[in-house]
Amino acid sequence: MHHEQIIEEVYRQNVEKLYKFFYFKVLHKQTAEDLTSDTFMALAEKIPTLDKKDTDSLEKYLYGIAKNKWNLYLRKKYKTGEFDTEDIDDFSHYVQEEVAEMEGRSLKERAIYFINLL
């Protein structure tokens, strides 16, 4: 498989999940889109430098990049390191759980959750 096919496959399997995660966290479509595309762009830049065996674990790289992009966003937004995800080992699992939790809530529960964030 060529680099383009590999990134396309990883993109197809993860873009919706990552976008939903970022969106549920920031509640802003453009910011969620930016964070998602920045994550995939960084992965695309990294692919040519990886060994063939490393391309098999691209999802791991993807979620490592997503974690870094998220931490960077939080640092810029809050100008402190108070809320940090450095201690989350498996960011892929964290993203999946967060999205599943938000999707599992009723509309009323989501509204209350978002109102409490304000």
Side-chain angles (χ1 to χ4, degrees):
M1 241 197 263
H2 295 302
H3 292 317
E4 294 83 16
Q5 292 170 307
I6 295 168
I7 188 77
E8 193 175 305
E9 181 69 17
V10 172
Y11 178 86
R12 200 175 45 72
Q13 291 175 358
N14 295 281
V15 67
E16 188 179 347
K17 181 171 40 173
L18 265 180
Y19 171 77
K20 283 181 179 179
F21 169 77
F22 287 134
Y23 181 77
F24 286 147
K25 290 296 189 182
V26 300
L27 302 178
H28 187 263
K29 189 174 185 271
Q30 187 61 53
T31 303
E33 287 173 359
D34 289 348
L35 286 165
T36 304
S37 71
D38 287 354
T39 299
F40 281 102
M41 290 300 289
L43 180 68
E45 289 170 10
K46 183 138 182 77
I47 286 179
T49 68
L50 299 175
D51 289 342
K52 176 71 180 128
K53 62 179 173 56
D54 290 333
T55 57
D56 298 336
S57 58
L58 271 185
E59 267 192 28
K60 184 179 173 187
Y61 280 104
L62 177 71
Y63 285 95
I65 292 167
K67 180 178 174 178
N68 291 338
K69 296 290 180 189
W70 180 237
N71 281 332
L72 232 119
Y73 170 81
L74 291 174
R75 285 191 191 109
K76 282 182 193 167
K77 183 172 168 108
Y78 298 108
K79 302 260 193 279
T80 71
E82 280 178 48
F83 184 85
D84 214 341
T85 55
E86 291 294 337
D87 57 335
I88 297 172
D89 291 331
D90 187 348
F91 201 68
S92 169
H93 182 72
Y94 175 70
V95 166
Q96 205 159 336
E97 281 188 345
E98 290 286 308
V99 170
E101 182 187 331
M102 290 305 295
E103 287 183 331
R105 292 180 179 179
S106 70
L107 187 55
K108 182 180 177 186
E109 287 173 319
R110 285 188 207 179
I112 291 168
Y113 172 79
F114 293 136
I115 288 167
N116 287 334
L117 288 179
L118 299 175

